[in-house]
Amino acid sequence: MTHSIRDVRCRPVKSWAGYLNVAVMLALVCLGSSPQTAFSADKPKGQEISRVIAKEMTAAQKALQASQWAEAIKNLEAAETKPGLNAFDKKTIYDFKGFAYVKLNNLKAAEQAYEAALATGAYSAEDAAKTTRMLYRLTAGNQQYAKAAEYGKQVAESGAATPDDLAILSQIYFLQKDCKSSGQWADKAIAASRKAGEAPKENLYQFKLQCASDAGDTPGMAATLVDLIRLTNKTNYWNTLLRIERQEERDDHNTLMLYRVMYDTGSMTAGTDYIEMAQLLGDSALPAEAETVLEKAMGSGLINDQQKERTTRLLNSFKSRAEADKKGLPQLDAEAKKNPAGELDVKLGEVYYGVGDYQNAVTAINRGLQKNQIKHLDEAYVYLGRSQVALKNTAEAKKAFAGLKTVPNISPRVLKVWELYADTLGR
């Protein structure tokens, strides 16, 4: 079965601007916890509030302390009309107004106030940097992306940018459809998060994934999906990655290997996938496992009305074959033990796995690996690992999957997805 790139492209995300606004508001709660200029704090010589506005500023401060934001703005506006204001007066008035407007969730007014405060040149270097970061968040929240990007780069160039600052910058460029810049800042944010001992934000990878999808960059999508799986282990990312890997696969043996990962990660969501996997298992003389796969599909409601008759017919066929295999297990076990080659032991282990006898599956496959002479060594390690997973022996499962690296001529995509699966075990 072939699959077009259209089958695996991401759906455009329509809510990133809203997501950004939420992130900005959360950040402003912290950044806006107090005005940059504390009215009662010690100030350098010459930086004093003019007596002409002392009454209004005292009233504004009291209102701020009482969380009376509108009253504070009223007094600040009254102070603003007084003649003879110096730069420090203006900066303090605008700074307090910006703080009050943030508390009122009037981000546009807050932006204007802080820009006016910064333009006075009366901030200390430290407070100017804090106000620049505030304006970065405000302009982003106000969807003034070009301006926000400029403020964001100033914050980054100062060396004081947090991982969240860098992440917002990546999102700003993403919203402007500048995927190259978005990806560059996403990488910086990811690196900064790791340096800080934090897990990178999932949305950073999602920006890269959406950009790769929009560009039809399948390798780029696959690489980003691997990162997302390592970060989250979510089934939707597994599903998309495995559909990408499967679309160019023409070998039934490798296709079945990919289906096994999809099945084991719980990321198989289409009835047709279950049917195709079951047929491939049947062709590989594994009817018991094929029966289990189809029963799961039917129990999950993934088989539609048009598929039910065919699926039921397949299921009945697999049931009768599986029953015959189960009855013949003692004889097959005896024959495998006597055989000097390991191929029969591995096939025995696969049959044991299909009927749910995982301990005997481990025993048989390990015996076969010791004998060598195995046709599909990759299947031996996969079924040994799957059996150990079923027995909840995570360390042994990882050890089994690690054996895939030693298999000559193994499909690179098969090796990649099973190694990725092994890395996610135990989470």
Side-chain angles (χ1 to χ4, degrees):
M1 183 180 293
T2 60
H3 303 269
S4 164
I5 183 62
R6 294 180 181 178
D7 297 330
V8 294
R9 281 193 175 184
C10 300
R11 294 180 179 179
V13 179
K14 300 180 180 179
S15 59
W16 285 122
Y19 181 95
L20 176 59
N21 287 340
V22 171
V24 167
M25 286 306 301
L26 289 172
L28 289 175
V29 169
C30 298
L31 288 176
S33 59
S34 62
Q36 303 296 353
T37 304
F39 183 52
S40 60
D42 293 335
K43 296 175 286 294
K45 187 176 180 180
Q47 289 192 326
E48 299 287 343
I49 294 293
S50 300
R51 290 185 179 182
V52 68
I53 60 170
K55 177 182 176 181
E56 289 80 5
M57 294 303 291
T58 300
Q61 185 185 28
K62 289 181 178 178
L64 290 174
Q65 291 172 341
S67 301
Q68 297 173 349
W69 317 120
E71 181 65 21
I73 290 171
K74 178 181 176 182
N75 284 290
L76 292 166
E77 288 176 341
E80 194 176 353
T81 64
K82 299 291 183 177
L85 300 179
N86 60 37
F88 186 80
D89 293 335
K90 293 178 181 178
K91 183 266 296 183
T92 307
I93 291 170
Y94 296 138
D95 185 86
F96 279 28
K97 284 178 72 175
F99 173 74
Y101 279 127
V102 168
K103 293 296 185 180
L104 287 169
N105 198 25
N106 188 341
L107 301 190
K108 290 185 178 179
E111 177 189 336
Q112 293 172 354
Y114 279 120
E115 285 185 330
L118 193 62
T120 65
Y123 276 123
S124 67
E126 181 182 357
D127 284 343
K130 291 179 180 178
T131 302
T132 299
R133 175 179 275 119
M134 176 69 76
L135 283 166
Y136 169 41
R137 302 298 180 97
L138 286 168
T139 49
N142 290 331
Q143 299 183 25
Q144 298 180 45
Y145 300 136
K147 185 186 286 188
E150 291 306 310
Y151 280 126
K153 286 188 285 187
Q154 289 180 45
V155 173
E157 289 167 1
S158 73
T162 66
D164 280 347
D165 290 327
L166 300 174
I168 289 176
L169 199 50
S170 173
Q171 188 163 349
I172 286 168
Y173 280 113
F174 176 78
L175 290 167
Q176 294 183 98
K177 302 187 184 303
D178 183 348
C179 281
K180 181 179 179 181
S181 296
S182 177
Q184 291 171 344
W185 287 106
D187 289 339
K188 291 179 181 180
I190 290 166
S193 295
R194 288 175 174 159
K195 185 177 180 180
E198 303 170 356
K201 296 290 190 298
E202 182 180 353
N203 65 324
L204 293 169
Y205 295 104
Q206 290 174 332
F207 301 152
K208 298 173 73 173
L209 179 61
Q210 189 67 60
C211 285
S213 174
D214 291 344
D217 178 8
T218 306
M221 288 180 66
T224 305
L225 285 162
V226 168
D227 289 334
L228 279 164
I229 289 168
R230 291 189 190 281
L231 181 68
T232 70
N233 201 27
K234 289 184 177 178
T235 56
N236 59 311
Y237 298 136
W238 270 114
N239 180 277
T240 306
L241 173 65
L242 290 165
R243 286 190 289 125
I244 286 174
E245 298 297 343
R246 194 185 62 194
Q247 68 179 349
E248 298 299 330
E249 187 56 65
R250 297 294 180 268
D251 181 85
D252 284 349
H253 172 80
N254 293 333
T255 297
L256 181 53
M257 278 293 211
L258 296 175
Y259 271 130
R260 288 177 177 125
V261 182
M262 185 178 281
Y263 185 86
D264 289 359
T265 56
S267 59
M268 190 176 285
T269 58
T272 51
D273 290 337
Y274 282 94
I275 293 171
E276 184 175 4
M277 180 180 181
Q279 287 179 311
L280 290 172
L281 286 167
D283 293 343
S284 300
L286 296 171
E289 189 177 351
E291 176 190 350
T292 300
V293 168
L294 284 184
E295 285 178 341
K296 183 174 180 180
M298 296 186 78
S300 301
L302 294 173
I303 303 300
N304 61 38
D305 291 340
Q306 290 74 26
Q307 298 167 333
K308 282 183 178 178
E309 182 180 350
R310 176 191 174 201
T311 304
T312 300
R313 187 168 61 251
L314 281 172
L315 181 58
N316 290 334
S317 171
F318 290 140
K319 280 182 177 180
S320 60
R321 289 171 57 189
E323 187 62 29
D325 278 359
K326 192 172 183 179
K327 290 179 180 178
L329 272 171
Q331 181 181 347
L332 182 60
D333 196 316
E335 291 175 2
K337 287 176 180 177
K338 295 176 183 178
N339 197 307
E343 176 67 18
L344 199 56
D345 292 287
V346 171
K347 294 306 296 183
L348 172 66
E350 292 174 3
V351 175
Y352 272 130
Y353 178 88
V355 299
D357 189 345
Y358 305 117
Q359 189 57 64
N360 272 327
V362 169
T363 300
I365 295 171
N366 275 327
R367 189 172 64 228
L369 289 169
Q370 291 172 357
K371 294 179 181 179
N372 293 319
Q373 297 183 47
I374 298 169
K375 183 178 179 182
H376 291 296
L377 192 57
D378 53 349
E379 287 189 342
Y381 285 120
V382 163
Y383 273 95
L384 179 59
R386 296 177 82 196
S387 298
Q388 296 286 17
V389 169
L391 292 168
K392 304 188 185 305
N393 295 331
T394 302
E396 289 299 315
K398 286 177 177 285
K399 182 179 177 181
F401 292 127
L404 289 167
K405 294 193 294 288
T406 68
V407 177
N409 302 317
I410 187 173
S411 161
R413 62 170 56 97
V414 168
L415 177 62
K416 178 178 77 173
V417 297
W418 278 108
E419 286 186 326
L420 181 60
Y421 173 70
D423 288 344
T424 65
L425 290 176
R427 291 190 180 181

